[in-house]
Amino acid sequence: MKQSTTTYVAMDTHKETISVALAEGGRRGETRFLGEIPSRPECVAKMIERLAKNHGRLAFCYEAGPCGYGLYRHITALGHECVVVAPSLVPTRPGDRVKTDRRDAVTQASLFRSGELTPVWVPDDAHEAMRDLCRARQAAMEALRRARQQVLSFLLRHGRVYSSGGHWTRKHRVWLAAQCFEHPARQIAFEELVQTMDEAQARRDRLAAQMQELLPVWSLSKVVAAIQAMRGIALISAITLVAEIGDFKRFANPRQLMAYLGLTPSERSSGAKTARGAITKAGNTRARRVLVEGAWTYRLPARIGAQILERNERLPQPIKDIAWKAQTRLCARYRRLVRAGKPTNVVCVAIARELAAFAWAIATSGAVVAIV
């Protein structure tokens, strides 16, 4: 006999298997473990079909993780509700020291029924593909950074130090090409390190070019164009920021976006004691890094440079007004905090927090749709 209430199904997903638990609707509904199924689409569909015969409305959930959003899309395509849960926000008991797939699935089903799980925003397939491309470029950047450090460390071990300017300029590359070592093995090792660095740089540039090429067909291309009106956010930074955050309108106010990015101060207050510490760093690391890097540009006086002027040519006036307001405020705030004796890294994080608020104001502005 079918029930009229919702039945809550929790899944603990892994590479090979999925542990499934069920919580009946109602305050006294039974919570039980159903078993494990292979982590394959046909097995999931068979399990859902079997549950649909014996229960009314079904609601599924599983924790976000390395298995991605394929299971979510598969379940929603079958016509059922599905929620992807934030693992870091799942309530846990401090004294609980037993963790198994069975216990995790049963506990998650019970918490899902009581409404104590926090869902995450699930991007569509096209948005996730653009995010994958951005993260591939970031991985190439990290590989390039490591390769450059290895080259400099190798030269330092052998007493070769470049002191005629900055590293990785044209002049520095000429100096690198002129380095010779007496032993053939050492010369080969050096040349291999330099080639690894060049390959990483070429991969980074290829991925950046692909990001620019695919931008016009992306649904959020207008948002990317709009937030480039702000100082410190150029094309690649804008694409990365929008790809990581997604739909800005899902945040009701900029404070929610700041918290999502982990830019809000941590706090441990009790009674009359108020103690605030460093930022929480609880949100998206990649988007936070982009904002902090862009915040460094506000140490200079406010002005509209040639690059920003070129990016603003096709933008509506309301967006340019918000960007100029952000620049005048943040440049003044940077100097004021520095004069107050704040460390520069603390100042940049404070600027990045407000920069996120102005990015939210631009992205949620109605003027974005007027961009051509």
Side-chain angles (χ1 to χ4, degrees):
M1 180 177 178
K2 293 186 178 181
Q3 301 178 1
S4 58
T5 57
T6 301
T7 300
Y8 301 89
V9 183
M11 297 173 289
D12 190 40
T13 59
H14 298 279
K15 179 181 177 181
E16 300 292 341
T17 61
I18 299 176
S19 300
V20 185
L22 179 145
E24 300 283 354
R27 296 180 59 183
R28 298 183 179 181
E30 180 187 7
T31 302
R32 63 182 185 274
F33 181 68
L34 297 182
E36 290 186 350
I37 62 172
S39 184
R40 296 197 299 270
E42 58 272 15
C43 297
V44 173
K46 185 177 179 180
M47 180 266 296
I48 294 175
E49 182 181 1
R50 184 173 64 252
L51 291 176
K53 291 180 180 178
N54 301 321
H55 303 275
R57 181 171 174 266
L58 296 174
F60 296 84
C61 77
Y62 69 96
E63 291 183 354
C67 295
Y69 302 115
L71 181 59
Y72 168 87
R73 298 190 180 103
H74 180 57
I75 294 175
T76 53
L78 294 175
H80 298 280
E81 177 187 352
C82 185
V83 173
V84 183
V85 179
S88 59
L89 299 179
V90 175
T92 58
R93 296 178 180 177
D96 193 355
R97 295 293 183 269
V98 179
K99 184 181 186 304
T100 64
D101 295 343
R102 181 187 184 119
R103 286 172 64 94
D104 288 347
V106 171
T107 302
Q108 189 172 332
S110 179
L111 293 172
F112 187 32
R113 179 178 59 188
S114 61
E116 297 183 27
L117 298 179
T118 304
V120 301
W121 178 73
V122 179
D124 57 30
D125 190 59
H127 186 101
E128 187 180 10
M130 200 69 179
R131 180 187 292 179
D132 290 339
L133 182 60
C134 292
R135 292 182 177 180
R137 180 189 173 275
Q138 291 171 12
M141 286 179 55
E142 294 171 1
L144 175 60
R145 190 179 299 113
R146 289 193 298 268
R148 285 177 171 176
Q149 183 60 40
Q150 289 172 355
V151 171
L152 295 179
S153 299
F154 181 88
L155 293 172
L156 181 60
R157 285 201 307 271
H158 300 288
R160 311 288 179 92
V161 179
Y162 181 75
S163 57
S164 300
H167 291 158
W168 319 119
T169 60
R170 184 187 298 269
K171 187 177 179 180
H172 181 235
R173 293 306 303 264
V174 172
W175 179 81
L176 282 178
Q179 300 304 305
C180 296
F181 298 90
E182 294 183 1
H183 200 287
R186 189 167 292 155
Q187 184 67 35
I188 291 174
F190 173 70
E191 294 295 341
E192 287 292 337
L193 289 175
V194 173
Q195 289 183 23
T196 301
M197 180 186 65
D198 292 339
E199 291 171 0
Q201 183 172 349
R203 183 166 65 253
R204 181 202 62 180
D205 295 341
R206 288 196 304 269
L207 291 169
Q210 289 298 320
M211 290 169 62
Q212 298 181 39
E213 183 178 346
L214 296 174
L215 177 61
V217 298
W218 190 21
S219 60
L220 296 177
S221 59
K222 291 185 178 181
V223 179
V224 173
I227 65 174
Q228 288 184 69
M230 293 190 298
R231 185 177 188 171
I233 301 181
L235 179 61
I236 299 300
S237 297
I239 296 176
T240 303
L241 191 62
V242 175
E244 294 296 337
I245 295 177
D247 185 10
F248 283 78
K249 294 182 180 179
R250 63 193 174 101
F251 301 101
N253 53 65
R255 290 186 299 275
Q256 293 183 2
L257 177 59
M258 295 174 189
Y260 170 77
L261 296 174
L263 289 170
T264 53
S266 58
E267 184 173 354
R268 193 175 184 84
S269 302
S270 179
K273 180 181 178 182
T274 300
R276 293 185 177 90
I279 59 174
T280 61
K281 295 185 179 180
N284 192 293
T285 304
R286 298 174 180 87
R288 183 170 63 248
R289 178 187 58 81
V290 169
L291 289 170
V292 173
E293 288 179 353
W296 282 96
T297 62
Y298 290 90
R299 69 188 186 278
L300 304 174
R303 69 184 185 91
I304 302 294
Q307 295 181 349
I308 297 180
L309 190 64
E310 182 180 357
R311 297 200 297 261
N312 287 355
E313 287 182 355
R314 297 190 298 174
L315 297 180
Q317 189 60 39
I319 293 178
K320 292 187 283 187
D321 292 341
I322 297 174
W324 177 244
K325 179 182 178 181
Q327 187 171 169
T328 54
R329 172 180 169 82
L330 297 183
C331 289
R333 180 170 171 79
Y334 189 100
R335 294 193 297 271
R336 186 168 62 252
L337 291 176
V338 170
R339 286 197 302 267
K342 297 290 185 181
T344 54
N345 58 338
V346 175
V347 174
C348 283
V349 170
I351 298 301
R353 182 163 53 247
E354 291 200 28
L355 188 61
F358 282 107
W360 177 88
I362 290 177
T364 58
S365 172
V368 173
V369 297
I371 300 176
V372 293

